[in-house]
Amino acid sequence: MSPTSSSIPLYDIAGIGLGPFNLGLAALLEPVRDVKAVFLEQKPSFRWHEGMLLEGTSLQVPFLADMVTMADPTSRFSFLKYLADMGRLYHFYFYEHFHIPRTEYDHYCQWVSQQLESCQFDRSVSSIRKVREGGESFYELEARSAAGQAYRYRARHLVLGVGTTPIMPDCFKGLPSDAVFHTAEFSGNREQCRKARSITVIGSGQSAGECFLTLLQEQKEQGFRLSWFTRSSGFHPMEYTKLGLQHFSPEYTRYFHGLPQAVKDRVLPQQDLLYKGMSTSTLAAINDLLYERSVGGEVPAVQMRALCEVMSAKQTPGAPNRFRLQLRQRQQDKEFHHDTDCVVVGTGYRAQVPGFLSELRPLIRWDEQGRYMVGSDYRVAQREESANHIFVQNGEIHTHGVGAPDLGLGAHRNSIIINSLLGREVYKTRERNVFLEFGAPE
């Protein structure tokens, strides 16, 4: 039996998606007693980039970029509290690293999610509509479990935290997904890789680099050939100097948001190495392993080529488990082909506008490229003044800059969202946080 309208509880906030950002929002809202919140996630439990939870890989930001510490270091959901509960404080003390294992970050997030009653898993939101009833307007959400159970929710405000989706270039679409797959599915396809005679990695971001290193470490035992292509000018390190990192700060976010959109769209592609390169430790590990393999004049069964973009990818006729890639060297404008049994595609992620927003699309203001128009407080602009707000998490890189996907700014963004919703300062945000200053002096 469907619930009657009067029996559906009305929440102040409904968060859709439970990645680190909305999970952090749930944790920071937990002690705020005058807010009733619910967070819905389609997965059965919290998992963070499970396809890339590789042994030996670390988070690329310090452990302080947990759910709460940069907003409230005294919160019971901090990483240090997690360590205490796990009996691992001395383990961490002697570990002496700011950057924790990726698997531990995932486990920490699970620990947080299991303590929050506001987090509901196995809830796939299918539609949202705006409703007015009894003189009050709100959003009504419909969701289903994997077993088909229907649920309805009502909320005055929405926070979209659906994250980003893997980018699979058109040339790879339609090919067998167990042999041609995104790095997001790497862990689940390790066995397929081990059966291959040759493996090719595409892309030169951190995920591609980690996949290549993992395969390189297994190469001697498994005996496959290994290739690595990127359309970029080289296999470059990500910016990680202490002053360079200050672009991932509230000040730079505020500065970038104030630029004209045309300037933002011109600047962003010039900042790739702030967030799209590889860590120096990953690059060093690859080089050092190749160096060791070359002792005695041995030539490793590896090729690495930059400035090479994939033009097409097809199954080889008569050999369905083999693929022919047509590539072009961009500076020479010279094409060549490359045959391989397996392709690991590391071409990144992009923000998405989820299908469940279809009924709300006419209410939202979109820019010329069909992207959300987002205010400084992460509120999505609407065509008409509304008391029912929509906020976005990690879908605003075009308006707020390179810090949008950065875990270190998650607690700060959530502080701004909470303060904006409640109209008071629940969590303190500071004007000055870093040494660099951006823009001309006033």
Side-chain angles (χ1 to χ4, degrees), residues 68-82:
V68 292
T69 295
M70 298 300 281
D72 178 13
T74 67
S75 170
R76 69 184 183 93
F77 299 110
S78 73
F79 179 73
L80 290 178
K81 180 63 168 64
Y82 157 80

Side-chain angles (χ1 to χ4, degrees), residues 160-172:
L160 306 178
V162 296
T164 53
T165 55
I167 300 171
M168 182 62 82
D170 289 341
C171 62
F172 294 117

Side-chain angles (χ1 to χ4, degrees), residues 194-236:
R194 291 174 179 135
K195 297 174 185 175
R197 294 169 296 168
S198 62
I199 304 172
T200 302
V201 178
I202 304 296
S204 55
Q206 182 66 20
S207 294
E210 288 175 353
C211 290
F212 183 84
L213 176 57
T214 299
L215 292 167
L216 185 62
Q217 291 165 338
E218 295 185 350
Q219 185 184 28
K220 266 200 166 181
E221 181 181 348
Q222 303 299 330
F224 48 70
R225 293 189 61 82
L226 188 55
S227 302
W228 193 6
F229 298 109
T230 177
R231 70 186 304 275
S232 299
S233 60
F235 299 93
H236 295 302

Side-chain angles (χ1 to χ4, degrees), residues 20-36:
F21 297 131
N22 259 359
L23 181 60
L25 180 60
L28 287 172
L29 280 172
E30 193 267 346
V32 183
R33 296 305 177 193
D34 54 339
V35 174
K36 185 178 181 181

